[in-house]
Amino acid sequence: MAAGAVTLGGLITLAAVTWRADPRERQALRRRRAALLKRHDRVLEDLGARLGLDLHHRLLDEPELLEALKESQDARTGEDDHCYGAAVHVLQAQWKAATADRTPAPTT
């Protein structure tokens, strides 16, 4: 019985320490997620502006760009920020490649 109480006390202490440190970690995660969202939104806004001028733009014929768009959107709705960051990086690279000969790509 005493061993169970000691174990329970240790678990409560561990939970309290983790809970106190957790807000800083969560805040850092929120900042990283916000930065990813901003980078992703920038590409989406630039693409939307381009397509708003010409719905039959050749960017719609770029399979790598379309795949990167799909992957980044799927990753955005997920919980894994590392996966989302990688998908946004690929999207930015595909966007730069697709628009390299026309206009400057969005800045990162």
Side-chain angles (χ1 to χ4, degrees):
M1 183 77 154
V6 170
T7 302
L8 182 59
L11 289 174
I12 290 172
T13 302
L14 179 63
V17 168
T18 304
W19 181 78
R20 296 187 103 203
D22 201 36
R24 284 175 269 157
E25 234 177 81
R26 284 190 306 234
Q27 186 178 25
L29 289 172
R30 282 193 302 269
R31 282 194 305 268
R32 284 192 293 268
R33 182 72 174 195
L36 283 172
L37 291 169
K38 185 176 179 179
R39 289 172 46 205
H40 188 195
D41 287 345
R42 175 64 193 255
V43 175
L44 295 177
E45 288 169 7
D46 288 350
L47 178 61
R50 182 76 55 90
L51 294 177
L53 297 174
D54 180 10
L55 287 177
H56 301 290
H57 199 283
R58 83 164 195 80
L59 290 174
L60 294 176
D61 296 330
E62 297 285 336
E64 293 88 4
L65 177 61
L66 296 176
E67 181 64 25
L69 281 165
K70 179 188 174 304
E71 291 296 321
S72 63
Q73 192 60 39
D74 288 347
R76 182 178 188 146
T77 59
E79 296 292 323
D80 186 353
D81 283 347
H82 179 72
C83 181
Y84 182 39
V88 169
H89 180 75
V90 169
L91 175 61
Q92 286 178 311
Q94 290 300 326
W95 175 248
K96 286 178 184 179
T99 60
D101 59 339
R102 285 168 209 70
T103 60
T107 57
T108 54

